[in-house]
Amino acid sequence: MKIFSTLSGQKEEFAPQDNEVKMYVCGVTVYDVCHFGHALSYISFDVIRRYLEFRDYKVKYVQNFTDIDDKIINRSNERNIPWKELVEKYIGEFFVDMDALNIKRATLYPRATEEIPMIIQVIQTLMDKGHAYKADGSVYFRVKSFPGYGKLTHQTADDMRVTETSETEKKEDPLDFALWKAVKPGEPAWLSPWGDGRPGWHIECTAMSIKHLGKTLDIHGGGQDLVFPHHENEIAQSECFTGVDPFVRIWMHNGFLQLGADKMSKSLGNLVTIKQALERNSADAIRLFIISSYYRMPLRYSEEALDAAETGIERMRQALKAEGKTGAEVLDAELYITRFIEAMDDDFSAPQAMAAMFELVREINRGSERGMDVGRAQQVLKELAGVIGFTLQEARKLDHSQEEKILELISRRNAHRKAKEWKQADEVRDQLLKMGIAIEDTPKGTTWKIAK
RNA sequence: GGCGGCGUAGCCAAGUGGUUAAGGCGGGGGUCUGCAAAACCCCUAUGCAGCGGUUCAAAUCCGCUCGCCGCCUCCA
């Protein structure tokens, strides 16, 4: 299996340290609901994780919550609710959204504020080793003390343009970044050897990943936007802390979501939330839309493409319902498993895996029409769908009385059809369509589903 | 100023040196069906932003040009 690493800039043969893959994916800062960009990132890594498991690796998947930072503090002040309450609310929303998208739960979800002792230990060690210094109640990382700084970004510290901030003058060097932020009036704070304060953004991931996964992770993932400064800083902190190089064997970054300049070009930052996306499209369609494009490429949000994915998913679902003849010639689907694996083994090339799946779909339907036994092939399709994370479940959000009504109308229409009263039969069909129900006459009778 | 990405059919999107340029959606024409729907079959890029170059051979490598985008500040 080959995986592209941002660090080396090329595909590398994947060989975890042992059978359990140590995988860490940067999580969200919980001050708002998740948007489509989060769906893109977490679905991408969900597929990667599922595929690793399919290939018989155990995966220990750790994803953090950043539950204290400036945005959280600001938002809680704006809304006049305690930061803790805000954080709990959005952690809850996070799980609602992730579950709705059929994203498997991580093994562990550590939170920054629950790892303060480890964070303090890491910072203290960095200070003892001369990689960090205290200034005005805060602690900063001394970037120039780490010769490898910039290796992930493929730049040297000297090439970087420095943006001045309010803290710049406290630092020895403008590139230095905060490990510990001194408390400001009215802000939540934790005790530390350097005075009250809270952890800086990058340090939590170092502390949590090392604590839960060890000094060297197999895979560390996140959005492309995290490469710099977040992951660059993580490398610096972590390798200085442990003295072990590498901190991460394979750095994976998914392409960033681009908003189509056209349709949803609302004011900047007004992203489509996951909840909004799920109102328009099924979780499967959202996943297919995301997976149809290679994970490292940028993805442009497109409602047209999402709807196309919806139609494609419906065709997959349909193939699972196709009738086969038991005892007849068995449709051989093993070729498609091979093609699927070949595609995914090459840096999780899901678009090509999708091509294989859709060809399998066609084979199943064709085999069904030719009276073959397609049961095994359908089982293969189901299994591959599971590896990708498709449910292929139809959304039936109807209650019993509605369902009874539908069945009653269908039998009324079939009575008309039997009597060749086509006009009346068509009227009943139109009535159903107005209720949002589409029907299909099959050799085995009439079936219905929610119309698009 | 530095680093990086992208430009492939109406739309989305694979393919990174060599058979007929994946797959999805859409469109056209058929088959089946009372009609639909679904499914299946056929067709839909002599062409890969443009111009040069390397090569027996390039969408794929090199150079230049044009266009779009990301990062260097919080962001998955």
Side-chain angles (χ1 to χ4, degrees), chain A residues 157-407:
Chain A
D158 297 325
D159 291 332
M160 295 176 192
R161 176 185 283 183
V162 176
T163 305
E164 302 276 323
T165 70
S166 55
E167 286 179 287
T168 303
E169 50 195 50
K170 295 186 203 163
K171 302 177 187 174
E172 289 178 3
D173 186 297
L175 279 174
D176 294 350
F177 55 90
L179 298 170
W180 189 261
K181 294 183 166 187
V183 67
K184 291 181 201 151
E187 285 187 358
W190 287 260
L191 273 172
S192 85
W194 322 286
D196 289 354
R198 57 186 166 93
W201 175 37
H202 316 294
I203 195 66
E204 61 174 85
C205 287
T206 288
M208 291 187 258
S209 56
I210 291 171
K211 176 175 169 184
H212 297 293
L213 296 170
K215 292 176 179 175
T216 296
L217 321 186
D218 293 305
I219 294 174
H220 188 136
Q224 218 136 54
D225 53 315
L226 296 181
V227 175
F228 192 89
H230 188 52
H231 290 159
E232 192 69 61
N233 291 353
E234 270 187 54
I235 291 176
Q237 293 164 350
S238 304
E239 294 186 359
C240 288
F241 170 67
T242 63
V244 174
D245 177 0
F247 163 49
V248 170
R249 307 180 80 195
I250 296 188
W251 282 97
M252 298 185 71
H253 294 97
N254 63 273
F256 215 61
L257 180 74
Q258 325 232 298
L259 294 185
D262 37 333
K263 23 244 173 188
M264 37 172 303
S265 67
K266 300 157 190 171
S267 56
L268 218 75
N270 194 358
L271 297 172
V272 173
T273 65
I274 289 173
K275 293 173 204 309
Q276 289 166 339
L278 282 166
E279 280 171 22
R280 275 194 100 255
N281 296 101
S282 67
D284 281 348
I286 290 170
R287 188 173 286 250
L288 177 58
F289 167 67
I290 285 169
I291 271 330
S292 298
S293 161
Y294 195 44
Y295 79 90
R296 287 195 280 124
M297 295 290 121
L299 183 69
R300 205 179 314 278
Y301 179 89
S302 156
E303 295 187 338
E304 197 185 344
L306 274 161
D307 292 342
E310 197 74 73
T311 311
I313 280 293
E314 181 53 33
R315 203 163 130 245
M316 276 195 198
R317 289 189 193 119
Q318 204 76 34
L320 286 184
K321 292 196 290 190
E323 300 280 338
K325 264 202 186 107
T326 37
E329 187 190 347
V330 174
L331 176 66
D332 183 13
E334 307 311 305
L335 166 70
Y336 298 96
I337 302 179
T338 306
R339 285 183 48 192
F340 180 89
I341 290 174
E342 274 171 8
M344 294 297 282
D345 269 3
D346 183 12
D347 195 28
F348 309 100
S349 190
Q352 292 179 79
M354 288 305 97
M357 282 182 70
F358 274 107
E359 281 173 36
L360 173 58
V361 163
R362 173 171 294 117
E363 281 304 311
I364 289 170
N365 288 325
R366 187 186 292 168
S368 167
E369 290 196 349
R370 294 180 185 170
M372 297 173 79
D373 183 347
V374 295
R376 165 63 188 155
Q378 286 172 318
Q379 197 184 319
V380 168
L381 177 61
K382 216 177 232 172
E383 190 188 355
L384 298 183
V387 175
I388 293 299
F390 294 135
T391 66
L392 299 187
Q393 302 286 313
E394 290 190 45
R396 291 201 178 194
K397 285 180 269 177
L398 301 179
D399 58 41
H400 269 295
S401 64
Q402 280 174 296
E403 204 162 330
E404 276 171 30
K405 174 80 176 161
I406 290 164
L407 293 177

